Amino acid sequence: MVFDIVTRSVKVPLMAARNNLKLKSAPRSPNNPGEMPAKRGRGRPAGDHAAKRAELVRVAIAVVAQEGFSGASLRKVAQRAGCTTGAVTYYFENKEAMVLAIVEGLWDEWDSYLAATEDDLKSGFERFLNWAKADESDPWLAGFQLIAHARLDPAFAAIYQRRYAHYRKTLARRLAKEQRRGKIRSDIPADLLADQLCAMADGWMIMFPIEPERFEAERMKALLDAMIVLVSPRGDKL
């Protein structure tokens, strides 16, 4: 016991001395040699915060698409991203926060598609269906998984309701504009047409993973052409 006390009494000054030497030899700021560089917070990853978060969201989408909602985890996202689980939890406190970020990100992407095709209804839906392509299918399949989960989670479902309502209103405004121009049939209110078109697209999205042969390129074009005929006055194409 006396030996332990003596050993500890020697170790403490030695550790202090080593720490003091480390502090003295620490690198200085390149802009001001007399200034110590700022320390990063514990566990805080270096680099652009927004870019890293967006990268992790993309990885999380792929994990949900391939593993399903129940199979997705922060650990699997970290493994696929090549980082630690701690780095992922810096951006997303838990799985729920990560999944909410995925949902918002998917809707942001779809809103950008809608904005990019403001005067072309057919192109907007074509871009929507292009999510189903083999090399771009992760967002489509992840969305399919998350919609199924929303049925069991009221808070989660509320996000879908809010974002979907915004999309339908935007689409209805666009259809109403085209009705005034005589490009869209006016015998059905624009909000009902918007709801019908959304239901049609939802059905395509749900069935694509189950019946991909229904959505080959040629048939997808035929489906879009048929949709345009359905909403055009007297069957005229836009």
Side-chain angles (χ1 to χ4, degrees), residues 7 10 14 24 37 64 68-70 79 124 141 149 161 182 220:
T7 303
V10 172
L14 285 174
K24 287 181 179 179
V64 172
F69 176 83
S70 60
Q79 288 175 342
L141 295 177
H149 173 69
Q161 292 167 0
M220 282 174 60

Side-chain angles (χ1 to χ4, degrees), residues 33-216:
E35 180 182 341
M36 295 294 293
K39 292 183 179 179
R40 287 193 291 114
R42 183 180 180 185
R44 179 175 181 174
D48 187 290
H49 182 280
K52 183 62 178 177
R53 187 177 189 276
E55 177 189 345
L56 289 175
V57 168
R58 286 192 294 271
V59 173
I61 287 173
V63 171
V64 172
Q66 296 167 27
E67 304 283 346
F69 176 83
S70 60
S73 67
L74 298 177
R75 179 180 58 82
K76 288 181 179 178
V77 171
Q79 288 175 342
R80 184 164 302 205
C83 63
T84 65
T85 304
V88 177
T89 57
Y90 173 74
Y91 294 95
F92 310 110
E93 181 180 2
N94 49 38
K95 178 178 176 178
E96 180 182 13
M98 180 181 72
V99 172
L100 292 180
I102 292 175
V103 174
E104 297 286 6
L106 290 175
W107 275 108
D108 288 345
E109 186 174 352
W110 177 234
D111 284 347
S112 71
Y113 285 169
L114 187 65
T117 56
E118 184 172 352
D119 296 321
D120 191 342
L121 181 65
K122 182 177 178 180
S123 293
F125 276 84
E126 187 173 16
R127 295 189 72 175
F128 179 75
L129 288 175
N130 280 341
W131 271 8
K133 288 184 177 178
D135 57 344
E136 301 174 4
S137 61
D138 281 348
W140 180 285
L141 295 177
F144 180 69
Q145 294 281 346
L146 296 176
I147 286 176
H149 173 69
R151 182 177 62 86
L152 307 173
D153 187 333
F156 195 50
I159 296 177
Y160 270 97
Q161 292 167 0
R162 171 175 56 84
R163 297 298 298 259
Y164 209 160
H166 171 74
Y167 170 70
R168 287 197 308 273
K169 288 179 181 178
T170 302
L171 180 58
R173 284 196 298 268
R174 181 175 301 178
L175 291 171
K177 176 183 175 181
E178 294 303 306
Q179 284 178 330
R180 292 191 293 271
R181 295 172 58 191
K183 297 291 186 178
I184 294 288
R185 60 187 300 171
S186 57
D187 56 330
I188 299 176
D191 63 317
L192 292 181
L193 273 181
D195 217 336
Q196 287 178 332
L197 291 173
C198 288
M200 188 182 301
D202 290 344
W204 291 341
M205 186 191 78
I206 290 171
M207 294 309 297
F208 173 77
I210 302 170
E211 297 181 296
E213 66 278 359
R214 283 178 55 195
F215 303 95
E216 298 293 337

